[in-house]
Amino acid sequence: MRSLIDIMDLSVQELDELTDKALDIIAHPEQYAHACEGKKLATLFFEPSTRTRLSFEAAMYELGGHVIGFSEAASSSASKGESVADTAKIVSCYADIIAMRHPRDGAALVAALNASIPVINAGDGGHCHPTQTLADLLTIRREKGRFDHLTIGLCGDLKYGRTVHSLVNAMSRYQGTRFVLISPEELRMPDYVLQTMADEHIPYTETADLDGAIPALDILYMTRIQRERFADPEQYERLKDSYVLTPEKMAAAKADMAVLHPLPRVNEISVAVDADPRAAYFRQALNGKYIRMALILKLLAEADGAPAVTLPEGLRADLRCHNRRCITQTEQELPQRFEQAKDVWRCLYCQTAAER
Ligand code: NCD
């Protein structure tokens, strides 16, 4: 049985198959209208969401299935202190597949280790957001017609923005990808993501200058500064207006550059850009529903009661994770688990390197 915790759980071939399937669903929706009859999706959202939760729910309804769940932690037993592990075990009794969003890095992996049904990570803290990346990939395919030889600018909060972490991992597997990482110094890409690019020999540059970067880009992926993940509210106030994409800035971009944004937008894209045909972000949100339909179909077809995730060999339990947002900080009796990555040991849940 399969879960989707990290975008790297899917091979490049599987990514292609999922986008093929989504395109077929778009062309022939009637052929899928009963595909999930009698099946239940549980949406467990411990953190706010509009697009991700509603697109999952719309996806399941359009497949003829049912949806149960909650949309805030306050209305679940998490507010009484229930662990993620127990919640996953309980929901496995009531549903066929789980989509879960949680404020803690690594929470989705804990759910998958304890559930007896497939778990889809709908965002774990500032760590990963693989189904947003699936929506991004379908958008790239529809807007650009290819996945290879693209120069992709990622702009904004690259530290806490989970969508860009998953997108880098996915796009690092295609030929000719280049990244331009555009952020304030304080919100640079975390080292575990930079490591992926280095491992895959993906050229990247880091800059704070959007104007200087824009002319070379095939895709500009804007992100929101993630207010809820800042430990220091003053730092957020200082950085919140770092970038605003305007029609004037768009004038320097390629005629066929695509602007993506996972949304919600706060102020980082001027509303005046929406009328530009290169603004793909509302189309991207619609693509999110179709690709989630394709994903639900795939994971339900592969569900067979076997454990969804098995632990890799050679883990260490004698180190401590120092990431204050990691699920190991709050989950009852969750053992520390560290995996070797090159010359460092990384927390299995959040990928933060162990301090030496
Ligand atoms: C993103 C998220 O939740 O990480 N939103 C989404 O799922 N479309 C981006 C964000 O919140 O800024």
Side-chain angles (χ1 to χ4, degrees):
M1 182 167 76
R2 298 285 297 279
S3 279
L4 177 61
I5 305 306
D6 187 301
I7 195 70
M8 302 307 260
D9 297 342
L10 295 167
S11 67
V12 171
Q13 191 190 334
E14 286 177 312
L15 294 177
D16 289 345
E17 287 164 4
L18 282 170
T19 51
D20 283 346
K21 178 63 85 179
L23 293 174
D24 196 57
I25 293 170
I26 292 167
H28 310 287
E30 68 292 345
Q31 291 179 11
Y32 296 89
H34 304 286
C36 287
E37 234 156 48
K39 297 288 184 191
K40 279 172 280 167
L41 165 73
T43 52
L44 313 183
F45 277 65
F46 296 89
E47 220 188 31
S49 170
T50 300
R51 270 148 299 276
T52 305
R53 184 172 63 83
L54 295 185
S55 69
F56 263 116
E57 296 189 355
M60 194 57 173
Y61 284 123
E62 290 188 25
L63 292 167
H66 300 280
V67 180
I68 58 174
F70 51 84
S71 56
E72 52 181 341
S75 63
S76 78
S77 282
S79 65
K80 301 179 187 168
E82 185 164 63
S83 64
V84 171
D86 283 1
T87 303
K89 286 185 183 136
I90 297 306
V91 175
S92 298
C93 305
Y94 307 141
D96 300 284
I97 186 165
I98 291 172
M100 186 180 100
R101 168 171 290 187
H102 196 279
R104 292 241 155 221
D105 300 3
L109 177 58
V110 173
L113 286 167
N114 289 280
S116 54
I117 58 177
V119 174
I120 302 172
N121 181 5
D124 62 325
H127 182 222
C128 291
H129 195 345
T131 67
Q132 179 62 46
T133 298
L134 293 177
D136 302 343
L137 291 176
L138 181 57
T139 306
I140 291 170
R141 181 155 169 194
R142 297 184 84 188
E143 300 289 324
K144 304 298 301 176
R146 65 179 199 276
F147 290 129
D148 57 348
H149 297 94
L150 292 170
T151 298
I152 305 169
L154 305 174
C155 178
D157 186 346
L158 307 187
K159 178 176 182 186
Y160 298 122
R162 55 193 171 197
T163 67
V164 288
H165 304 161
S166 296
L167 184 60
V168 165
N169 284 338
M171 292 306 295
S172 290
R173 297 193 286 180
Y174 293 99
Q175 281 273 318
T177 298
R178 289 175 172 272
F179 285 107
V180 184
L181 309 177
I182 309 155
S183 76
E185 174 65 27
E186 295 92 326
L187 299 179
R188 285 177 55 205
M189 199 58 104
D191 78 309
Y192 67 85
V193 184
L194 297 178
Q195 188 62 50
T196 304
M197 287 187 266
D199 291 348
E200 301 296 326
H201 308 290
I202 297 296
Y204 69 89
T205 52
E206 293 186 278
T207 176
D209 176 18
L210 175 58
D211 289 316
I214 218 169
L217 304 179
D218 299 307
I219 294 169
L220 172 58
Y221 194 101
M222 295 296 294
T223 64
R224 170 178 75 89
I225 310 291
Q226 308 277 302
R227 177 169 50 86
E228 66 276 31
R229 313 242 183 262
F230 281 74
D232 172 8
E234 276 173 28
Q235 190 189 39
Y236 171 72
E237 286 303 318
R238 205 168 58 248
L239 297 173
K240 67 179 188 193
D241 299 322
S242 298
Y243 301 102
V244 182
L245 184 65
T246 58
E248 294 69 44
K249 289 194 193 324
M250 289 294 288
K254 288 184 183 172
D256 64 349
M257 185 186 79
V259 183
L260 274 65
H261 189 313
L263 305 178
R265 139 175 81 183
V266 181
N267 63 344
E268 58 281 349
I269 302 181
S270 155
V271 173
V273 175
D274 297 358
D276 190 312
R278 296 171 289 185
Y281 30 91
F282 293 116
R283 297 191 287 277
Q284 187 181 358
L286 178 60
N287 288 333
K289 179 184 73 177
Y290 294 119
I291 199 83
R292 289 182 173 104
M293 290 171 79
L295 179 68
I296 291 169
L297 283 172
K298 175 178 172 62
L299 295 183
L300 282 177
E302 293 175 13
D304 59 5
V309 173
T310 47
L311 291 174
E313 304 272 302
L315 298 177
R316 275 178 72 172
D318 58 334
L319 299 165
R320 277 207 73 74
C321 183
H322 295 278
N323 170 9
R324 61 177 175 81
R325 294 176 291 111
C326 179
I327 187 70
T328 52
Q329 308 281 347
T330 49
E331 183 81 358
Q332 189 189 2
E333 292 173 41
L334 181 65
Q336 298 279 333
R337 291 181 171 122
F338 280 77
E339 188 174 25
Q340 190 160 27
K342 293 261 160 63
D343 53 346
V344 291
W345 288 84
R346 294 192 179 279
C347 173
L348 186 69
Y349 303 100
C350 71
Q351 291 180 273
T352 300
E355 284 173 10
R356 285 164 197 262

